[in-house]
Amino acid sequence: MSVTIKDIAKIAGVSPSTVSRVVSNHPRISRETSRKVKEIMDQLGYHPNMMAKSLVSKTTQTIGIVLPRPAEELFLNFFFGELIRGIVTQATRAGYDMLMTTVTSDSNELEAISRLVMGRRVDGILLLSSRTSDPIIGFLKQQNFPFVLIGRSDEFPDVLSIDNNNIQAAYDATSHFIAQGHKRIGFISGPPNLVVSQDRLFGYKKALKEANLPFQQEWVLEGDLLQQSGYRAMSFFMSLPDRPTALVIFDDLLAFGVLRGLTELGYSVPQDICIVSFNNIPLSELASTPISSIDIGTYQLGYTASQSLLRIVHDEPLSQNHIIIPHRLIVRESSISSSKIT
């Protein structure tokens, strides 16, 4: 015979309603009572019937994550793994599960979101990227459905968003090279439809302008979020008669492609060209040439986004709609010029 809430309540010396509140992580239950009840649950092997609980409470104890790219591509980039680690850590502590779905096109993404929302399969949704034009945000606002955007939206400036100051971050990376005397600084951007790509490009241009350095379009290449994009970029940059002496790179994974491409072409970092990238993944300092990188607090981005989403799911007040996670430049060997710059 399966263990019931009444069985747990009898052994714990509390009411069945108290056990139900413990299962729901109710804030009015004391820590000691919660610990005692959960210990008895573990001892008896009790598992709540989440479907029945959902019918009564009209909640699913689940948050939805729609991955912006196919999973086989997405998880090649360590940024998304660390972002999801932050999301899952906080949500699990709050007693929530994750429901993740991947997309292959914009229309497919809208269909996936619609299934989650209209089917009431999740209590809220996390959007992992911000695009210049995003029908998903419009749909979620129209449905008045809880969601949080990791990034920011010019189109919908009032939405709850967790972001970095990406303009300042790219400005700082570029200024790091300017301070060393570099005058020819290139930029490998991300997908042009992402707001973060535009913000970082703007910060790069701003630093050049304030230093009275020319912006040259041929020193800017658009890439994606895969290593191969950085690899291909080097064939172009190193063939230029007046090539850059330093590169600001959108993502660490692209920087690994840059290192591989330079090695195959017979060049080295930082002797022939210096680089700084973004995200500061753990492998950055283990590269053949340790990579200087802007640490954007990826784990904290995910953790804070998850925390904020659950607050609005529970109708708790938020002090602000736009939360900025601080960044910092981690300087390593790849960005320190080893000889006089010409």
Side-chain angles (χ1 to χ4, degrees), residues 7-267:
D7 297 328
I8 303 294
K10 185 176 181 180
I11 296 172
V14 298
S15 68
S17 61
T18 296
V19 177
S20 294
R21 290 190 179 99
V22 170
V23 172
S24 301
N25 294 307
H26 197 285
R28 293 187 179 179
I29 299 298
S30 71
R31 186 173 298 177
E32 179 59 29
T33 298
S34 178
R35 183 193 61 77
K36 179 181 177 182
V37 169
K38 287 179 178 178
E39 283 183 358
I40 294 171
M41 288 179 180
D42 290 340
Q43 291 168 8
L44 299 182
Y46 173 76
H47 298 284
N49 185 328
M50 298 310 293
M51 185 173 292
K53 179 171 175 272
S54 176
L55 290 172
V56 172
S57 65
K58 301 189 187 309
T59 65
T60 65
Q61 293 293 113
T62 303
I63 61 176
I65 303 174
V66 180
L67 306 178
R69 300 170 71 91
E72 60 270 20
E73 291 183 18
L74 196 80
F75 288 108
L76 289 174
N77 191 306
F78 293 90
F79 165 79
F80 288 101
E82 185 69 357
L83 186 68
I84 291 172
R85 187 173 75 89
I87 293 170
V88 170
T89 299
Q90 200 285 326
T92 301
R93 288 175 182 171
Y96 273 72
D97 295 321
M98 306 293 110
L99 179 59
M100 290 191 287
T101 183
T102 59
V103 298
T104 55
S105 65
D106 290 351
S107 60
N108 178 261
E109 184 176 18
L110 187 55
E111 289 174 10
I113 291 281
S114 181
R115 286 196 303 271
L116 296 180
V117 172
M118 307 310 286
R120 295 294 166 179
R121 298 169 64 184
V122 296
D123 296 334
I125 286 176
L126 285 173
L127 301 179
L128 301 195
S129 65
S130 51
R131 293 170 296 191
T132 52
S133 179
D134 197 338
I136 302 301
I137 296 177
F139 171 77
L140 291 171
K141 284 177 63 66
Q142 183 182 40
Q143 297 296 321
N144 196 29
F145 196 79
F147 75 98
V148 168
L149 173 67
I150 296 178
R152 69 176 187 84
S153 172
D154 287 328
E155 189 179 7
F156 300 97
D158 60 327
V159 303
L160 178 58
S161 63
I162 316 298
D163 199 11
N164 306 108
N165 186 340
N166 283 293
I167 293 175
Q168 185 64 45
Y171 178 94
D172 292 346
T174 310
S175 297
H176 171 64
F177 288 137
I178 293 171
Q180 295 182 65
H182 288 276
K183 299 183 184 305
R184 304 196 305 275
I185 304 168
F187 186 80
I188 301 179
S189 184
N193 67 325
L194 297 183
V195 173
V196 62
S197 298
Q198 297 189 358
D199 282 353
R200 289 178 183 174
L201 180 60
F202 184 87
Y204 159 77
K205 289 180 176 179
K206 180 183 177 186
L208 294 179
K209 183 177 181 180
E210 290 186 7
N212 294 315
L213 295 176
F215 168 75
Q216 294 192 209
Q217 188 62 54
E218 66 175 357
W219 289 349
V220 176
L221 288 182
E222 292 175 357
D224 54 27
L225 303 179
L226 298 175
Q227 184 181 146
Q228 193 66 19
S229 187
Y231 175 80
R232 289 193 300 265
M234 298 325 297
S235 296
F236 171 79
F237 275 126
M238 303 313 284
S239 67
L240 294 174
D242 189 27
R243 65 174 184 257
T245 59
L247 284 176
V248 177
I249 304 169
F250 182 78
D251 183 276
D252 286 341
L253 197 60
L254 274 71
F256 278 99
V258 165
L259 288 178
R260 183 163 66 92
L262 287 170
T263 299
E264 291 188 9
L265 291 169
Y267 296 101

Side-chain angles (χ1 to χ4, degrees), residues 256-278:
F256 278 99
V258 165
L259 288 178
R260 183 163 66 92
L262 287 170
T263 299
E264 291 188 9
L265 291 169
Y267 296 101
S268 60
V269 171
Q271 288 77 11
D272 296 301
I273 191 167
C274 293
I275 64 173
V276 167
S277 60
F278 285 79

